[in-house]
Amino acid sequence: MRTAFAPGRVNLIGDHTDYTGGYVLPMAIDLGVSVTVDPGGDRVVLKSANEPDAVDLPIRLSDPRSVEKGWVRYVAGVIAEIRPVSGATGTVTSTLPPGIGLGSSAALEVAVALALGYAGPPADLAVACQRAEQRSSGVPCGAMDQLASTMGVAGHALLIDCSSNEIKPIAVPSGCEVVAIPSGETRNLAGSAYAERRHSCQQAEYFLGPLRSAALVDVAKLTDPILRSRARHVVTENRRVLDFAQLFRHGKLAEAGQLMYESHRSLRDDFNVSTPALDSIVERLMKTPGVYGARLTGAGFGGCVVALTAPGALSEGWKMEPSGGARVQ
Ligand code: GLA
């Protein structure tokens, strides 16, 4: 028997920056997906306690979109990408609610790949699973979620430069907690404007060159107001990630928290991916004693708010532990 576990992630700051080679700062969390299998045969047969449909797929599968949607298709995407040499029969269990912006699909992909015997370096595993996600969902996602899941370091968040996937672990300072507060709105990125936002960034890059190195004075010269605000979010968000990393590293939690709130406003006003439910949670939390900062986390369009707080400041939400990356147990 082989058991693989892959964590979900919460992103402290840096959203909608990964797919233009910018900066992100997620941390792997203590919630995730476990896959236990008995390797052998030439089919992948998996049951999940949380899903009515079972997976029963051949290991020689090339088009994940030929199978039904949902979790079966994510598994098909992984099989098509990693091309396992042998099949497996087993079960999937998850402590990570799907569709709330905590990286559940990435955790599933990574855990399945490891359970099917993937043995390459963790960064390559992340990129293979990013491709699996793109092929199965049709969403042109970046690699943040998969990198956080494969490369997590206990007690640390990860400053990731998405132009090279270089990672610097940043110790989570003592005297703070990271709390995820679900908005109650689940979302499916395949039905969201995620692809449209990514396309706008590509169009802005046509005029400005890489947004990663674009200057705000040049962004201000874009004549299309939509492209201008999308580009302004990305350029200012990259700056906030780097500034946040410095402040966080030195335990300057109030200033770091303020950057989280600025990130939320930028995602709300310039990138237009927030919702009234997310906004009202963030505004309420920002007035709560002991909360340093709060913002939507992940793609937006629903999902979760992440808050940086003094210990015990919130009785709601889930306290997230910065955790190690995916592993075969
Ligand atoms: C989703 C994608 C990531 C990233 C975030 C937004 O989680 O999978 O690649 O783009 O949205 O930051």
Side-chain angles (χ1 to χ4, degrees), residues 206-230:
Y206 174 79
F207 296 109
L208 296 172
L211 286 177
R212 172 196 169 81
S213 46
L216 276 179
V217 284
D218 295 323
V219 171
K221 291 180 197 149
L222 285 171
T223 49
D224 180 321
I226 299 280
L227 293 194
R228 193 163 64 231
S229 58
R230 303 295 186 252

Side-chain angles (χ1 to χ4, degrees), residues 64-178:
R65 306 211 82 183
S66 64
V67 310
E68 63 201 277
K69 277 190 183 167
W71 84 288
V72 178
R73 197 185 274 178
Y74 285 113
V75 176
V78 173
I79 294 171
E81 266 311 316
I82 69 163
R83 300 171 173 274
V85 289
S86 124
T89 301
T91 54
V92 176
T93 56
S94 175
T95 51
L96 198 56
I100 64 165
L102 294 179
S104 59
S105 54
L108 173 65
E109 291 145 14
V110 171
V112 167
L114 288 175
L116 294 181
Y118 185 94
D124 293 358
L125 169 60
V127 173
C129 289
Q130 175 200 13
R131 279 199 302 263
E133 169 121 15
Q134 292 181 341
R135 287 175 69 174
S136 49
S137 68
V139 175
C141 63
M144 168 172 71
D145 303 355
Q146 291 81 6
L147 283 166
S149 185
T150 64
M151 306 288 288
V153 178
H156 292 71
L158 307 174
L159 173 60
I160 307 178
D161 177 342
C162 297
S163 69
S164 59
N165 291 345
E166 189 202 335
I167 293 183
K168 287 196 187 113
I170 311 267
V172 174
S174 56
C176 72
E177 283 178 3
V178 175

Side-chain angles (χ1 to χ4, degrees), residues 9 11 14-19 24 101 103 105-106 130 133 139-146 187 189 194 267 295 297-300:
R9 63 98 186 95
N11 191 20
D15 272 310
H16 291 280
T17 47
D18 60 350
Y19 48 77
V24 294
S105 54
Q130 175 200 13
E133 169 121 15
V139 175
C141 63
M144 168 172 71
D145 303 355
Q146 291 81 6
R187 85 284 181 278
L189 294 187
Y194 185 98
L267 287 159
R295 59 186 285 280
T297 183

